[in-house]
Amino acid sequence: MHEDVKDCDVVIVGSGASGALAAMVLAQGGLNVLCLEQGDWIDRNDRAHYRPDWAWQRQATWNPDVNSRENSDDYPVDSDSSQVLMWNSVGGSTNVYAAIWPRYRPSDFRKGDEHGLQPNWPICYEDIAPFYERVDRILGVSGLAGDAAMPTRDQFPTRPLPFSSTARTLSRAFDRLGWHWWPAEAGVISEDYDGRPGCNSCGLCWGCSRASMSLYTYSVWPKALEAGARLQTNARVLRIEKGKDGRATGVVWKDRISGQTHRTTANVVVVGANGVGTPRLLLASDNLANSSDMVGRNLMHHTLVSAQIRVDEAVNGHMGHIVSLISREFAETDISRGFVNGFNFNCLTSTPSAAELSNGWLGSKPGPWGEHHHSWFKQNFGHVITLLGIGDDLPNPDNRIWLDPTVTDSDGLPAVRMHYAPGENDKRMMNFMLDRLQDLGEAAEANDIQLNDYRDAQGIYRTPAWHLLGTCRMGEDPETSVVNRWHQTWDVPNLFILDGSVFATGGVVNPTPTVSALALRAAEYIRDNYRELSRSTKVSVEA
Ligand SMILES: Cc1cc2nc3c(=O)[nH]c(=O)nc-3n(C[C@H](O)[C@H](O)[C@H](O)COP(=O)(O)OP(=O)(O)OC[C@H]3O[C@@H](n4cnc5c(N)ncnc54)[C@H](O)[C@@H]3O)c2cc1C
């Protein structure tokens, strides 16, 4: 093994949303930062957008399901979920995300007080509100302030994306029902911003090649590198090491190009490897930071159901940003519905034609090949709207990830096994969501409504593992949580977890604005307390 020189103040594992922001803040703060990323940079010319078969590529090489593509940067995940969605290269899963950009609501942090089936977070909405604002400004998030369903906020850095035909059709349907709707916030710049070109409404959003969508390779990494952060690609971290004093001493990683193994020492270790990669690494590091036995447990994906509705008018949803409206009508608990917690609707545009034809979309039926192919295509293309219901699933310690006892990745690190099954409350919510999607389709005067509830032929819910949350939860109590309010692990004072693993509850919306705001806040804490953290053998008492 080659021992690297100790020249690193902070080593960061993972270069996705959380790792990128941490690298930026810490390097801008004058610290010597090394980020280790198991994947490589993606050349924007290699993206599927530039290929005539791009929609097919979305099903193959660029499939966000880790088990449906063959990419050497990945690691095996054996799961009973229908799909495991993530991306492993510089920028992490933002390489394939849709940049729908909603915030949590204050009640998301207080579910313990509300009904006790979920814990309270040790922080509240007001603690992270300023960081939401700052992340929005870093990325140039677009949207319209004034949504009465949300706390007041600053004006968005870029104006809302164009109000699409899909949005017009659906807003009429929501109005008929008297339900809340608002133009969706997006991590997409609607006008030129910070050296990046504004969105040209070309569609094909997932994995934008123009840099209009805020893939973190475009929006955050340039700032981190400019500030002096070092990013080592093709560097798979095999374990985090701990000294006799209980402090993390650094990491051992493999250079996947040369095959050499390195040890890098650091005063502070930060992990941002996502809700699967982070618990995997801790478990593979001799069960590190796991005195609570909560590492890998309480996996949350969100309850998820969807519908595709077909309308008479051409909404041309293959153009413009993928999301049009968001509805928070059902975001809060109303116990008369028969379950606790709530959900939101993400109203999406249409889907790429080849994807619809080959595979269906989010559980929908694929279109026919052969005799009826052309008439089906004519009837559907440009007329279909996809609606998602995304809800707050209850954490369950049995929903978890653990190390595969036999299978490893190409570098010898144990592969992952994952189990997730929605509970009774989650199922009741999903059934209610399906009924409301039916209402919405009817209010939109759809000529066809297809509901997809993710039950397989045996009636078992097999939801996709798409938001990876909760597996190293944050809390007040070291016995039931892995990190404190500053993302510092209770067991190892100089080890911090910055990704979605720390979520105590999943909320009713897509998580990356919250992942990012939390990562920014935690990184600033590390920056401001670096001296003490470099020496301390105790976890911060202020927690
Ligand atoms: C298809 C899809 C659509 C999505 N759409 C949205 C959306 O519209 N809105 C939204 O809010 N969120 C969305 N998300 C979720 C969003 O992508 C994640 O919330 C976000 O990327 C999480 O950031 P992260 O830093 O926690 O992890 P990631 O971005 O996943 O980054 C983790 C990084 O760690 C690296 N890593 C892991 N283990 C190791 C190791 N041992 N050594 C070295 N490196 C390692 C990985 O290679 C990866 O690059 C979507 C996700 C997917 C997959």
Side-chain angles (χ1 to χ4, degrees):
M1 185 184 319
H2 176 73
E3 181 111 8
D4 282 342
V5 190
K6 178 173 174 158
D7 60 355
C8 179
D9 295 330
V10 184
V11 67
I12 301 171
V13 184
S15 68
S18 56
L21 282 165
M24 184 193 80
V25 169
L26 295 168
Q28 286 173 347
L31 294 171
N32 184 340
V33 178
L34 173 67
C35 179
L36 299 168
E37 166 56 52
Q38 65 191 350
D40 209 338
W41 285 95
I42 294 173
D43 184 332
R44 69 173 70 179
N45 294 314
D46 288 342
R47 288 191 176 277
H49 299 66
Y50 292 112
R51 304 176 55 127
D53 61 347
W54 73 270
W56 177 253
Q57 288 299 324
R58 285 277 312 161
Q59 303 292 306
T61 321
W62 288 91
N63 196 316
D65 173 20
V66 77
N67 293 318
S68 301
R69 56 178 193 251
E70 286 180 16
N71 189 334
S72 65
D73 298 342
D74 293 324
Y75 49 91
V77 182
D78 180 355
S79 166
D80 48 18
S81 294
S82 55
Q83 296 172 311
V84 180
L85 303 185
M86 66 163 96
W87 194 267
N88 295 306
S89 59
V90 177
S93 303
T94 69
N95 280 294
V96 291
Y97 80 158
I100 302 165
W101 207 256
R103 295 180 180 183
Y104 278 25
R105 289 150 59 95
S107 60
D108 292 323
F109 298 87
R110 301 191 304 258
K111 292 291 173 180
D113 292 343
E114 185 185 301
H115 54 62
L117 298 174
Q118 282 159 303
N120 281 338
W121 288 62
I123 56 175
C124 60
Y125 179 88
E126 288 69 26
D127 288 323
I128 65 163
F131 297 93
Y132 274 136
E133 297 291 347
R134 282 173 37 207
V135 169
D136 282 6
R137 285 197 293 277
I138 293 166
L139 307 188
V141 171
S142 59
L144 184 66
D147 182 353
M150 293 298 294
T152 50
R153 54 156 299 145
D154 289 354
Q155 194 49 265
F156 284 81
T158 64
R159 58 177 176 256
L161 290 162
F163 203 66
S164 62
S165 306
T166 305
R168 260 194 304 280
T169 301
L170 287 176
S171 60
R172 285 195 297 265
F174 279 115
D175 285 346
R176 272 181 208 128
L177 292 162
W179 292 355
H180 168 269
W181 63 269
W182 198 254
E185 311 88 339
V188 177
I189 49 176
S190 53
E191 51 202 294
D192 294 358
Y193 188 83
D194 196 21
R196 295 188 285 133
C199 174
N200 65 350
S201 292
C202 70
L204 325 187
C205 283
W206 293 23
C208 172
S209 55
R210 286 169 51 83
S212 305
M213 181 183 276
S214 183
L215 313 192
Y216 279 47
T217 36
Y218 303 143
S219 55
V220 180
W221 268 110
K223 295 185 195 334
L225 296 175
E226 194 189 336
R230 287 174 297 146
L231 172 58
Q232 177 75 45
T233 57
N234 295 298
R236 177 115 64 197
V237 177
L238 303 177
R239 63 178 180 275
I240 301 166
E241 294 193 308
K242 194 170 84 165
K244 288 204 176 76
D245 59 358
R247 290 171 50 80
T249 53
V251 298
V252 171
W253 55 278
K254 179 139 172 219
D255 183 330
R256 298 178 52 239
I257 304 292
S258 70
Q260 274 196 328
T261 303
H262 300 264
R263 172 173 286 121
T264 294
T265 56
N267 288 324
V268 175
V269 177
V270 168
V271 192
N274 85 28
V276 178
T278 292
R280 175 196 191 208
L281 186 59
L282 297 184
L283 294 172
S285 305
D286 246 349
N287 215 15
L288 191 65
N290 196 18
S291 61
S292 63
D293 189 31
M294 286 295 133
V295 171
R297 295 190 185 273
N298 304 306
L299 176 64
M300 296 177 290
H301 296 320
H302 286 129
T303 54
L304 175 68
V305 297
S306 65
Q308 287 193 300
I309 62 170
R310 193 177 62 211
V311 293
D312 290 339
E313 64 183 300
V315 287
N316 290 326
H318 52 290
M319 296 179 320
H321 181 239
I322 188 166
V323 71
S324 55
L325 303 182
I326 187 165
S327 169
R328 295 182 169 95
E329 177 67 23
F330 301 99
E332 294 291 337
T333 295
D334 175 348
I335 206 69
S336 69
R337 295 177 195 140
F339 54 87
V340 298
N341 290 347
F343 59 91
N344 93 93
F345 290 124
N346 275 187
C347 304
L348 307 188
T349 55
S350 182
T351 57
S353 54
E356 284 170 335
L357 290 171
S358 64
N359 224 3
W361 164 252
L362 292 165
S364 65
K365 285 197 296 280
W369 292 100
E371 198 187 341
H372 301 295
H373 174 87
H374 284 287
S375 57
W376 181 91
F377 192 82
K378 203 165 161 204
Q379 212 179 14
N380 283 271
F381 187 67
H383 291 268
V384 174
I385 301 172
T386 298
L387 305 165
L388 300 186
I390 301 177
D392 189 1
D393 47 348
L394 291 180
N396 171 357
D398 293 333
N399 286 339
R400 65 181 185 114
I401 75 116
W402 67 102
L403 297 182
D404 195 301
T406 49
V407 182
T408 67
D409 65 23
S410 51
D411 300 307
L413 188 62
V416 173
R417 292 223 182 142
M418 177 193 279
H419 166 71
Y420 178 90
E424 282 311 310
N425 190 76
D426 306 328
K427 288 181 197 166
R428 283 200 290 273
M429 185 195 292
M430 285 193 270
N431 291 334
F432 182 88
M433 279 151 79
L434 285 167
D435 291 345
R436 299 295 76 76
L437 287 174
Q438 177 75 28
D439 293 344
L440 191 51
E442 286 170 13
E445 296 173 340
N447 57 45
D448 184 50
I449 301 173
Q450 192 180 325
L451 301 175
N452 314 311
D453 71 357
Y454 297 104
R455 261 174 286 209
D456 67 14
Q458 284 74 44
I460 299 170
Y461 280 97
R462 280 164 54 79
T463 51
W466 66 322
H467 295 148
L468 308 169
L469 308 172
T471 48
C472 295
R473 62 152 64 146
M474 180 190 286
E476 298 277 14
D477 181 355
E479 301 218 339
T480 54
S481 60
V482 179
V483 299
N484 68 14
R485 62 169 57 206
W486 296 112
H487 301 237
Q488 183 181 27
T489 60
W490 291 108
D491 298 352
V492 185
N494 61 337
L495 173 63
F496 287 77
I497 299 172
L498 264 58
D499 55 64
S501 319
V502 303
F503 280 37
T505 62
V508 303
V509 288
N510 322 60
T512 313
T514 307
V515 168
S516 302
L518 287 170
L520 195 62
R521 175 177 172 274
E524 291 191 1
Y525 176 83
I526 296 167
R527 180 198 65 197
D528 297 344
N529 295 278
Y530 174 73
R531 271 180 187 216
E532 202 209 321
L533 290 169
S534 303
R535 301 188 291 265
S536 165
T537 51
K538 288 208 179 82
V539 172
S540 153
V541 181
E542 207 238 312

